């Protein structure tokens, strides 16, 4: 067994998957309370009452917890549900939980329903009120609120385009997502506050299903390893937040494949995949969409001077090429591929910039080559940037969308240039990183029993990490761990043709449509003057286990 991959071994795989199902059996019918409540006689709200005054009344004992939640739902336009559920540990009592903008809070219990609702509301307010100022820095003094940002109606999910609408106009997805990310980050950090300094840079992938937004993968970090290129696949060469989050997403996708191919019908039904007619590949179930959140503008061509838009003739052709072309990252620093400094990186680990990688993933999908043997490409419908230092996203629009305009017609079946909705949203993390944690990053995906802490410069898990794969400290995100998951899924899917592959490199090369799409994308960038994509050192993919 690969020491870097314990969670997927033997019978414990099914146990872990079963233990992490989202909807517990016996979940009862929910009692929904939409934001626009009409029953003002039960929860009256004066036209000029501010959220701060409502909170003060609650703290002074003038309002109970349930009343405060309903009144806040009206004033600041949040989507509120108070759901009856089952008591933890099969206790013989009533149980309720609060769901705010798709985020589920702790379960409250009581000897009667009224008591259980109040206890659930109190638990939710303990977490929600501290984050309220962060997400709404300018809480309104009246009930007037700005209109929500528009949602894109056309999306391309799993290689096919379909219409989607916000489940409620007053709760746009671009507000639900940062709220969900912040709640998940808070839960992880509350369990391990000693690593709170690792949360300075964060990226997360969120799955939206109907009215629910759920964080399924999360990563932080900002460094390349200073180690030499690994020949055994057990060193993480790139630990930047978006790359870490994307590899965590791949773990989530592998876990759902194991669920799909499981002989347990309950697990199989809980998977996010479904068979698609006229295709040998799986795709995401109808109604499921993927979103990416980052709390810093991705480095590279996304960070572009407004002058290139306002007065492009005043900028030299050389500067334009340097700003909008491809970029390289070395030890946390960014260089244009046209820069003379790029010639001095022969003995250092170099990767493409975060912006360039997102550009690539929006064309070939976030699933990677190995997963492409089983599933259609998966794209992010929206990219949300919670960077308080940014005032516009034109650079990101150009980097991700405009550079690849027109490439879709040249791509193989199922692949396309997916134009995501790109917007600015509130930040979910404060800059608290200390010097002793500057190089550390965390990773987590749904179903993990604990977060993993990796030293980006070393490319390995640290000794103090809550999760460690084994004595070698290889990260669960490393290539060797991914190959192990790939073989597990190939076995469950009875893909014997994939089990005979001799190396990680060969398994990737066998995903021919994926490789064709990747080659076409890179050729397209080069032909249009954006520079040449960095070729990986082949020795890093030649391992077999």
């Amino acid at each position: 067994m690969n020491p870097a991959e314990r969670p997927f071994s033997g019978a414990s795989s099914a146990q872990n998957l079963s233990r992490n199902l989202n909807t517990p059996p016996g979940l009862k019918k929910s009692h929904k309370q939409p934001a626009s409540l009409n029953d003002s006689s039960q929860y009256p709200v004066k036209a000029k009452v501010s959220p701060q005054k409502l909170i003060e009344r609650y703290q002074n004992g003038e309002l109970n917890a349930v009343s405060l939640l309903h009144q806040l739902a009206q004033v600041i336009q949040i989507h509120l549900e108070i759901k009856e559920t089952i008591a933890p540990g099969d206790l013989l009592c009533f149980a309720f939980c609060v769901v705010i903008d798709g985020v589920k809070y702790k379960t409250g219990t009581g000897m009667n329903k009224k008591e259980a609702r109040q206890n659930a509301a109190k638990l939710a307010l303990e977490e929600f009120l501290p984050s309220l100022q962060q997400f709404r820095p300018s809480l309104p003094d009246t009930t007037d609120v700005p209109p929500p940002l528009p949602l894109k109606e056309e999306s391309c999910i799993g290689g096919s385009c379909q219409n989607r609408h916000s489940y409620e106009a007053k709760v746009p997805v671009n507000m639900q997502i940062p709220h969900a990310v912040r709640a998940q980050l808070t839960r992880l950090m509350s369990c391990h506050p000693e690593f709170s300094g690792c949360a300075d840079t964060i990226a997360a992938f969120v799955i939206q299903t109907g009215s629910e937004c759920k964080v399924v993968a999360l990563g932080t970090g900002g460094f390349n390893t200073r180690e030499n290129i690994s020949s055994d696949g057990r060193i993480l060469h790139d630990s930047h937040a978006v790359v870490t989050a994307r590899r965590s997403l791949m773990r989530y996708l592998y876990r759902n494949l194991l669920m799909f191919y499981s002989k347990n019908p309950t697990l199989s039904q809980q998977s996010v995949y479904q068979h698609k007619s006229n295709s040998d590949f799986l795709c995401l179930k109808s109604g499921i969409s993927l979103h990416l959140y980052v709390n810093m503008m991705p480095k590279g061509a996304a960070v572009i001077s407004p002058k290139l838009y306002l007065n492009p003739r005043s900028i030299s052709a050389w500067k334009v090429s340097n700003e909008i072309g491809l970029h390289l990252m070395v030890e946390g620093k960014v260089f244009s591929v046209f820069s003379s400094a790029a010639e001095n990186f022969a003995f250092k680990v170099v990767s493409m910039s975060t912006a360039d990688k997102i550009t690539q993933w929006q064309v070939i999908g976030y699933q990677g080559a190995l997963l492409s043997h089983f599933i259609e490409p998966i794209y992010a419908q929206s990219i949300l940037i919670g960077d308080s230092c940014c005032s516009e996203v034109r650079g990101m629009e150009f980097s991700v969308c405009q550079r690849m305009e027109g490439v879709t017609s040249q791509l193989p079946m199922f692949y396309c240039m997916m134009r995501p909705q790109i917007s600015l949203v509130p930040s979910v993390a404060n800059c608290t990183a200390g010097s002793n944690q500057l190089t550390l990053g965390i990773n987590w995906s749904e179903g993990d029993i604990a977060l993993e802490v990796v030293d980006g410069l070393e490319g390995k898990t640290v000794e103090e990490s809550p999760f460690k794969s084994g004595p070698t400290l290889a990260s669960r995100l490393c290539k060797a761990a991914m190959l192990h998951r790939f073989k597990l899924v190939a076995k469950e899917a009875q893909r014997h043709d994939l089990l005979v592959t001799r190396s990680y490199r060969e398994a990737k090369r066998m995903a021919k449509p994926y490789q064709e799409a990747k080659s076409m994308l890179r050729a397209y960038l080069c032909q249009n003057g954006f520079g040449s994509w960095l070729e990986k050192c082949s020795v890093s993919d030649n391992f077999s286990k």
Side-chain angles (χ1 to χ4, degrees):
M1 184 183 73
N2 180 5
E5 184 51 52
R6 283 184 179 173
F8 289 105
S9 60
S12 61
S13 298
Q15 294 169 359
N16 286 336
L17 292 169
S18 179
R19 192 163 51 239
N20 288 287
L21 293 179
N22 296 320
T23 307
L27 186 67
K28 297 183 181 179
K29 198 173 186 179
S30 66
H31 299 270
K32 292 190 178 182
Q33 302 291 347
S36 55
L37 293 171
N38 296 319
D39 188 4
S40 58
S41 62
Q42 186 177 3
Y43 302 106
V45 180
K46 296 179 181 179
K48 296 294 183 181
V49 175
S50 70
Q52 291 92 339
K53 289 189 177 181
L54 289 173
I55 294 171
E56 288 175 8
R57 290 178 60 191
Y58 168 68
Q59 293 171 339
N60 293 334
E62 300 173 26
L63 277 178
N64 63 44
V66 173
S67 295
L68 176 62
L69 282 174
H70 282 292
Q71 296 194 35
L72 286 175
Q74 293 182 5
V75 174
I76 61 177
Q77 301 294 288
I78 58 175
H79 183 267
L80 172 66
E81 297 177 71
I82 301 181
K83 294 182 175 182
E84 188 172 3
T85 180
I86 58 173
D90 296 325
L91 297 175
L92 298 177
C93 58
F94 294 95
F96 281 81
C97 66
V98 172
V99 181
I100 300 174
D101 285 355
V103 178
K104 182 179 177 181
Y105 291 85
K106 295 177 182 177
T107 300
T109 58
M111 298 309 296
N112 55 57
K113 290 187 176 182
K114 182 177 179 181
E115 180 184 1
R117 284 195 193 97
Q118 287 292 342
N119 289 334
K122 290 176 183 177
L123 290 171
L125 288 170
E126 287 178 4
E127 291 187 58
F128 179 67
L129 291 183
S131 66
L132 186 58
Q133 191 66 33
Q134 172 72 19
F135 277 92
R136 301 179 185 273
S138 301
L139 290 174
D141 291 328
T142 70
T143 55
D144 295 332
V145 293
L149 296 176
L151 289 178
K152 185 176 180 180
E153 293 187 356
E154 293 291 328
S155 63
C156 187
I157 304 169
S160 61
C161 295
Q162 53 185 296
N163 291 326
R164 296 194 69 257
H165 300 279
S166 172
Y167 77 96
E168 185 175 20
K170 292 181 179 179
V171 191
V173 67
N174 53 8
M175 284 305 298
Q176 295 179 64
I177 288 173
H179 194 172
V181 174
R182 180 177 178 82
Q184 182 59 48
L185 182 63
T186 299
R187 284 191 283 269
L188 291 174
M189 292 296 97
S190 64
C191 296
H192 302 284
E194 67 274 22
F195 295 112
S196 59
C198 301
D200 184 20
T201 58
I202 178 173
F205 286 93
V206 177
I207 289 287
Q208 184 189 20
T209 308
S211 62
E212 180 185 12
C213 284
K214 178 176 62 176
V215 179
V216 298
L218 183 148
T220 74
F223 284 88
N224 295 94
T225 179
R226 61 188 173 193
E227 300 295 320
N228 294 328
I229 295 293
S230 169
S231 59
D232 62 2
R234 285 169 170 75
I235 294 290
L236 287 182
H237 298 135
D238 188 343
S239 294
H240 289 85
V242 175
V243 177
T244 299
R246 185 249 182 172
R247 296 185 74 82
S248 297
L249 172 68
M250 293 164 69
R251 296 184 65 244
Y252 169 79
L253 296 175
Y254 274 118
R255 181 177 286 114
N256 274 265
L257 278 173
L258 289 174
M259 292 168 64
F260 182 86
Y261 290 115
S262 170
K263 295 179 176 61
N264 184 329
T266 303
L267 286 178
S268 182
Q269 187 177 8
Q270 290 292 329
S271 171
V272 297
Y273 300 115
Q274 65 181 11
H275 278 298
K276 187 175 182 181
S277 59
N278 303 323
S279 173
D280 295 330
F281 299 99
L282 303 179
C283 64
L284 290 180
K285 289 179 178 177
S286 177
I288 294 180
S289 58
L290 180 71
H291 306 266
L292 169 62
Y293 170 89
V294 293
N295 79 322
M296 294 185 69
M297 182 65 74
K299 296 179 179 178
V303 185
I304 195 169
S305 171
K307 292 181 180 179
L308 290 176
Y309 296 89
L310 299 177
N311 190 13
R313 293 184 180 178
S314 65
I315 309 296
S316 68
W318 176 86
K319 187 173 183 180
V320 170
S321 297
N322 273 267
E323 290 203 31
I324 67 177
L326 299 175
H327 288 74
L328 304 173
M329 301 186 73
V330 185
E331 296 179 356
K333 299 179 181 179
V334 184
F335 302 86
S336 167
V337 293
F338 300 108
S339 170
S340 59
E343 301 173 0
N344 302 321
F345 301 148
F347 300 103
K348 294 184 178 182
V349 174
V350 184
S351 64
M352 299 304 297
S353 74
T354 306
D356 293 334
K357 288 189 174 184
I358 293 176
T359 301
Q360 175 174 259
W361 296 330
Q362 287 297 132
V363 173
I364 63 176
Y366 287 81
Q367 75 288 335
L370 297 186
L371 280 163
S372 296
H373 286 288
F374 310 101
I375 63 177
E376 291 182 3
I378 294 177
Y379 302 103
Q381 177 186 324
S382 67
I383 300 175
L384 309 176
I385 303 167
D387 192 333
S388 58
C389 298
C390 294
S391 58
E392 51 88 19
V393 294
R394 287 180 293 178
M396 189 69 177
E397 287 275 5
F398 181 86
S399 173
V400 174
C401 303
Q402 296 180 34
R403 289 195 299 182
M404 299 309 302
E405 203 74 68
V407 74
T408 297
S409 61
Q410 304 178 34
L411 298 173
M413 185 178 296
F414 304 126
Y415 291 87
C416 67
M417 194 287 287
M418 165 55 181
R419 293 184 69 100
Q421 175 190 328
I422 302 174
S423 56
L424 295 174
V425 295
S427 177
V428 305
N430 297 320
C431 297
T432 57
S435 58
N436 62 327
Q437 294 185 340
L438 185 62
T439 66
L440 301 185
I442 64 174
N443 67 77
W444 171 89
S445 67
E446 186 190 46
D448 288 342
I449 57 175
L451 59 82
E452 181 183 67
V453 183
V454 172
D455 188 324
L457 288 181
E458 302 296 329
K460 289 190 174 185
T461 309
V462 298
E463 287 283 358
E464 302 80 15
S465 174
F467 176 87
K468 292 190 290 290
S469 297
T472 63
L473 298 180
S475 170
R476 60 191 176 189
L477 301 185
C478 70
K479 292 178 179 179
M482 293 296 175
L483 180 61
H484 180 68
R485 292 185 191 92
F486 168 75
K487 291 181 176 179
L488 281 176
V489 172
K491 182 178 180 181
E492 292 298 318
Q494 299 184 3
R495 289 290 304 274
H496 303 293
D497 57 318
L498 301 178
L499 291 173
V500 298
T501 53
R502 292 171 295 180
S503 67
Y504 180 80
R505 179 181 177 84
E506 182 180 346
K508 290 175 63 176
R509 291 175 67 89
M510 285 177 64
K512 296 191 182 301
Y514 177 89
Q515 297 296 344
E516 180 185 346
K518 185 169 69 172
S519 297
M520 183 59 65
L521 171 141
R522 297 179 179 183
Y524 190 87
L525 285 168
C526 187
Q527 291 165 7
N528 285 276
F530 297 111
S532 299
W533 198 276
L534 177 72
E535 292 295 331
K536 283 185 180 179
C537 179
S538 60
V539 69
S540 66
D541 290 348
N542 279 337
F543 61 93
S544 58
K545 60 180 180 178

